[in-house]
Amino acid sequence: MPPKFSKLALQQGTSSAPLDRRLTLAPGDAACISTFPSSLDEVGFVPADPFQRFMTESMIQLNNRLGPLERTVAGLEDQLASAAGSHASLSHRLGVIEQGIALNQANLTKLKEHANDQERRARRFNLRFLGIPEAPNENPLAVMETLLAKHGVDVRLSIAHRCGKFLQVIPGAEPPKPRPMIIKVALLRDRDAIIGVSKQLREDDGISVLDDLTRSDYVKKKAEWPLVKALLTQTTAEGGRGEGQTTLKASFKNGKWFVNGVSFNNPSKSD
């Protein structure tokens, strides 16, 4: 930062040597430099030489401008330091918030998995039937009891109902597919007995018996089925067997695919 002078004296020369005149410090000013004069009045006299007068006025004007600039720079430096401190504080707070979000997301994932597991357990006693003919004002429980009795299954059903909204038959149009039927048995052994005749139901009546999956399990089963199917197809090709013939059997249970009793690992989630 340039020095500031308190007292200033100008060497007064003759008009014959104006270029030799210089702006110099008065005796003793070197030890007490403090404030540069703010006007010619503070200099104590008006230089006779025009060039000296011009230079003196120019230096005074520059110094008068320099002071506010120095104060502005100092203020900006303080603001910059304050902004840097605020940025550091905000960065820390942001890091804490991000950690909290990550923790909440992990907890939410665990809660979803727990809720899905509880729903899966509640649906263990359920079975879903596809392809059962539907009639207006039917009694789903009586329909299921009659169907199962036809195949020699005598079980106690707790609930039976159709899924979805009933669709009216439009004259001249193709009749809508019957809505799925969901039943709930009282005992797991009754469920196993129904599954035991599922092949007979499919072959004789065109009715499929499926597990009543949760929404999450259904999405996962549908998404991973192409990979499981590709594995079965590849094994068939390597074994030299006919189309549709394979030694592997796939099943979906408790939210996982199993191939010949071994859990199927999704290659896309190996990372």
Side-chain angles (χ1 to χ4, degrees), residues 54-269:
F54 170 76
M55 290 298 298
T56 302
E57 291 177 343
S58 298
M59 293 180 64
I60 291 174
Q61 292 176 1
L62 289 176
N63 186 73
N64 291 339
R65 295 180 181 179
L66 183 61
L69 289 177
E70 290 176 348
R71 290 190 293 272
T72 302
V73 170
L76 292 176
E77 289 177 348
D78 292 341
Q79 294 179 15
L80 181 60
S82 177
S86 300
H87 179 268
S89 177
L90 290 175
S91 298
H92 175 71
R93 292 172 59 186
L94 180 60
V96 173
I97 292 174
E98 290 177 344
Q99 292 177 359
I101 292 175
L103 180 60
N104 289 337
Q105 288 178 340
N107 292 335
L108 180 60
T109 300
K110 291 181 180 179
L111 288 175
K112 287 182 177 180
E113 292 175 352
H114 180 71
N116 186 62
D117 181 67
Q118 295 299 312
E119 184 181 357
R120 185 187 298 142
R121 292 174 182 272
R123 293 183 180 224
R124 287 186 304 167
F125 294 87
N126 297 358
L127 285 173
R128 183 181 290 258
F129 291 78
L130 305 180
I132 298 178
E134 185 174 1
N137 302 322
E138 67 181 359
N139 185 341
L141 194 59
V143 171
M144 289 304 307
E145 289 176 346
T146 302
L147 176 64
L148 296 176
K150 173 184 174 182
H151 293 276
V153 179
D154 184 15
V155 297
R156 185 177 63 180
L157 303 180
S158 300
I159 299 174
H161 65 87
R162 295 276 185 179
C163 294
K165 184 179 180 180
F166 176 75
L167 300 177
Q168 297 288 344
V169 178
I170 301 176
E174 184 178 355
K177 292 183 179 180
R179 294 175 294 168
M181 180 86 77
I182 293 181
I183 67 169
K184 184 174 184 178
V185 299
L187 302 172
L188 287 178
R189 66 186 180 189
D190 293 341
R191 180 181 184 275
D192 295 338
I194 297 173
I195 293 177
V197 298
S198 59
K199 183 177 180 181
Q200 187 178 351
L201 286 167
R202 183 173 62 254
E203 294 176 351
D204 296 348
D205 303 296
I207 297 174
S208 301
V209 183
L210 306 173
D211 290 330
D212 185 27
L213 301 177
T214 66
R215 176 64 182 174
S216 178
D217 288 350
Y218 173 77
V219 171
K220 183 177 181 181
K221 179 182 179 181
K222 187 176 181 180
E224 293 185 351
W225 165 241
L227 300 175
V228 176
K229 184 178 180 180
L231 176 62
L232 301 179
T233 304
Q234 179 182 359
T235 305
T236 300
E238 292 175 354
R241 305 172 73 90
E243 184 179 357
Q245 298 179 357
T246 176
T247 57
L248 297 181
K249 293 183 179 180
S251 60
F252 190 84
K253 185 178 181 181
N254 294 331
K256 295 181 181 179
W257 275 105
F258 292 87
V259 178
N260 277 12
V262 180
S263 178
F264 172 76
N265 294 322
N266 190 345
S268 63
K269 297 182 179 181

Side-chain angles (χ1 to χ4, degrees), residues 19-37:
L19 297 180
D20 292 3
R21 295 161 186 173
R22 298 290 187 269
L23 191 63
T24 60
L25 292 175
D29 280 347
C32 58
I33 296 174
S34 60
T35 305
F36 199 88

